[in-house]
Amino acid sequence: MTSNRFSIARHQTHSVAVGPVPVGGNAPVVVQSMTNTDTADADTTTRQVAQLAQAGSELVRITVNSDEAARAVPSIREKLDAMGVTTPLIGDFHFNGHKLLANNPACAEALGKYRINPGNVGRGRKRDEQFASMIETACRYDKPVRIGVNWGSLDQELVVRMMDENTRSAEPKDSQDVIHDIMVTSALENTARAEALGLNKDRIILSVKMSAVQDLISVYRTLADRCEYALHLGLTEAGMGTRGIVASTAALAVLLQQGIGDTIRISLTPEPGGSRTREVLVAQEILQSMGLRAFTPSVIACPGCGRTSSDYFQTLAQDIQGYLRAQMPLWHEQYPGVEEMTVAVMGCVVNGPGESKHANIGISLPGTGEHPVAPVYVDGEKTVTLKGERIAEEFQKLVNEYVSRTYG
């Protein structure tokens, strides 16, 4: 079977190395996530970073908001290294980042990247001094910086200035359009300051996050037209569950299809008791569904109808999908290319044989009233017919044999 990936012309950006992870340039779009633990609790934070990395997060951002958190960062890095987790840590700084980096050089060294929000650096002369302090630290330790503008915490001096300019204009813009201009101007003005302080273009990543889909699309299109810096995408405060997933997908899919974006994060609010790793899985699914990257074998399954009154095929599809994802940490090293594999689990004769033939390996289960047999197709050819009580177990064995034979 051929790969379903295709080429999308990417917006040309500078390549940035975040530790061992390349971002921008010709590198694939990188998946990022963020912990929600108290960073000062080094053990708990280490566990969550490891879980996110295990799920596939290639960069993990952690909150650094106090001296206790900053002092814990080197320990977290050491614990992760001892576990074999090399995922770079990104320090998320607001309000007091200049002090924390200056007072905790071990933290400044251990982090793989700094995230600076221009709206939360300070006011007036202090703002310039504190921003300069953080950039100078980044230069000293050769760390990349994400200058991350967020519409919920814009630089108020810039807002007042640009709103006044718009009011005096002969053709004033709508206030929302001015906000878009402020977002882009903030990103580019602060980037110019960072470069003037010695930070190279290949150490800069930009983001301009908003919480509404159309706003996000508009502001990133403008930013991409005006610069060649690597861009981090994300719908800020996306929300919970289905709403957050759909909104993030709607926004990011449009931008990615236009070649905009070098790294992404899905900012989901976790449901009570829910896993933080869900945001990683959603990001991977977006990239894989668009054919931009492959992370785990794809399971094709029909939605079911009146011909599939039994939920047997649904259970089998769910079990196979869970099994494939659980195997990927091992398979990724042992069976290169297995992430491109497609597996079909179909519920009746209408589309079952056809979809199964198009997959690498597929099974067409009997629908209601059909003969109780399940033909299996491998690379388009029917190879065996399963029946009885052990269909699920036997099909999983066939999948394992296919993986070993094809990718081993």
Side-chain angles (χ1 to χ4, degrees):
M1 296 290 103
T2 58
S3 169
N4 66 347
R5 289 193 295 173
F6 60 93
S7 177
I8 291 177
R10 294 276 297 280
H11 172 70
Q12 189 59 47
T13 61
H14 300 292
S15 179
V16 180
V18 183
V21 180
V23 175
N26 296 318
V29 179
V30 172
V31 172
Q32 186 173 149
S33 62
M34 185 174 184
T35 60
N36 61 353
T37 59
D38 179 359
T39 305
D41 183 344
D43 289 339
T44 301
T45 301
T46 299
R47 283 196 297 271
Q48 189 171 84
V49 172
Q51 290 166 0
L52 291 165
Q54 177 83 2
S57 184
E58 293 154 307
L59 301 173
V60 177
R61 184 155 48 111
I62 60 176
T63 298
V64 186
N65 60 340
S66 66
D67 279 310
E68 292 78 12
R71 286 195 294 268
V73 170
S75 174
I76 294 167
R77 182 70 272 165
E78 290 172 4
K79 292 173 185 290
L80 290 169
D81 290 342
M83 297 166 65
V85 178
T86 60
T87 306
L89 297 175
I90 302 167
D92 190 60
F93 295 100
H94 296 274
F95 309 111
N96 59 352
H98 59 293
K99 291 181 179 179
L100 296 177
L101 287 170
N103 295 339
N104 298 278
C107 169
E109 176 64 37
L111 291 170
K113 186 177 76 172
Y114 309 156
R115 190 272 181 149
I116 303 174
N117 181 343
N120 289 340
V121 173
R123 297 287 182 268
R125 190 176 69 180
K126 283 188 175 181
R127 177 198 180 285
D128 293 340
E129 292 172 354
Q130 291 165 187
F131 181 83
S133 174
M134 297 184 75
I135 296 300
E136 287 163 359
T137 300
C139 293
R140 186 179 310 122
Y141 292 99
D142 191 26
K143 303 295 181 179
V145 172
R146 170 157 72 95
I147 296 176
V149 181
N150 192 306
W151 87 298
S153 52
L154 281 171
D155 177 353
Q156 291 306 301
E157 293 175 13
L158 180 62
V159 171
V160 170
R161 186 188 93 200
M162 292 189 66
M163 284 292 187
D164 287 347
E165 289 173 357
N166 183 64
T167 300
R168 294 193 299 270
S169 172
E171 296 181 4
K173 296 181 179 180
D174 177 87
S175 61
Q176 196 66 8
D177 290 335
V178 181
I179 291 293
H180 293 182
D181 291 343
I182 293 169
M183 296 282 293
V184 173
T185 298
S186 178
L188 295 180
E189 284 188 355
N190 283 283
T191 300
R193 290 191 185 103
E195 285 195 58
L197 290 163
L199 193 65
N200 293 330
K201 288 182 171 65
D202 63 359
R203 307 307 276 157
I204 297 172
I205 298 174
L206 296 186
S207 67
V208 281
K209 290 190 172 184
M210 305 191 77
S211 60
V213 171
Q214 295 295 349
D215 289 330
L216 191 83
I217 293 170
S218 176
V219 76
Y220 268 101
R221 280 174 173 167
T222 301
L223 183 62
D225 285 342
R226 293 181 57 183
C227 76
E228 293 184 350
Y229 299 105
L231 301 180
H232 168 71
L233 303 186
L235 190 73
T236 191
E237 290 94 36
M240 297 182 71
T242 302
R243 192 272 174 193
I245 293 171
V246 171
S248 293
T249 303
L252 269 58
V254 171
L255 292 167
L256 291 167
Q257 183 67 25
Q258 295 174 359
I260 298 171
D262 301 291
T263 171
I264 66 172
R265 184 201 169 197
I266 309 303
S267 299
L268 293 180
T269 303
E271 296 177 2
S275 173
R276 190 68 168 179
T277 60
R278 192 179 189 192
E279 66 178 55
V280 178
L281 304 185
V282 173
Q284 290 181 330
E285 290 291 352
I286 290 173
L287 295 175
Q288 184 151 340
S289 295
M290 295 184 68
L292 293 171
R293 290 189 67 181
F295 297 94
T296 190
S298 298
V299 176
I300 300 165
C302 63
C305 66
R307 294 183 177 87
T308 55
S309 56
S310 168
D311 64 359
Y312 186 80
F313 85 96
Q314 299 164 331
T315 301
L316 179 57
Q318 184 179 52
D319 289 348
I320 288 294
Q321 183 164 281
Y323 175 75
L324 294 175
R325 187 170 285 280
Q327 293 297 108
M328 276 309 295
L330 173 63
W331 283 0
H332 180 72
E333 300 295 333
Q334 192 171 356
Y335 301 118
V338 69
E339 64 275 5
E340 302 278 0
M341 183 175 71
T342 56
V343 180
V345 180
M346 304 299 293
C348 79
V349 75
V350 173
N351 291 319
E355 288 285 3
S356 296
K357 288 177 183 177
H358 284 95
N360 293 105
I361 180 169
I363 185 170
S364 180
L365 295 162
T368 305
E370 293 178 19
H371 193 57
V373 296
V376 174
Y377 297 81
V378 176
D379 291 332
E381 299 294 331
K382 180 179 173 181
T383 60
V384 67
T385 298
L386 304 180
K387 54 186 174 181
E389 300 297 321
R390 301 179 64 230
I391 288 178
E393 181 182 334
E394 291 173 0
F395 182 63
Q396 182 171 301
K397 181 180 178 182
L398 290 172
V399 170
N400 277 327
E401 291 174 352
Y402 181 86
V403 169
S404 178
R405 181 173 65 251
T406 305
Y407 303 100

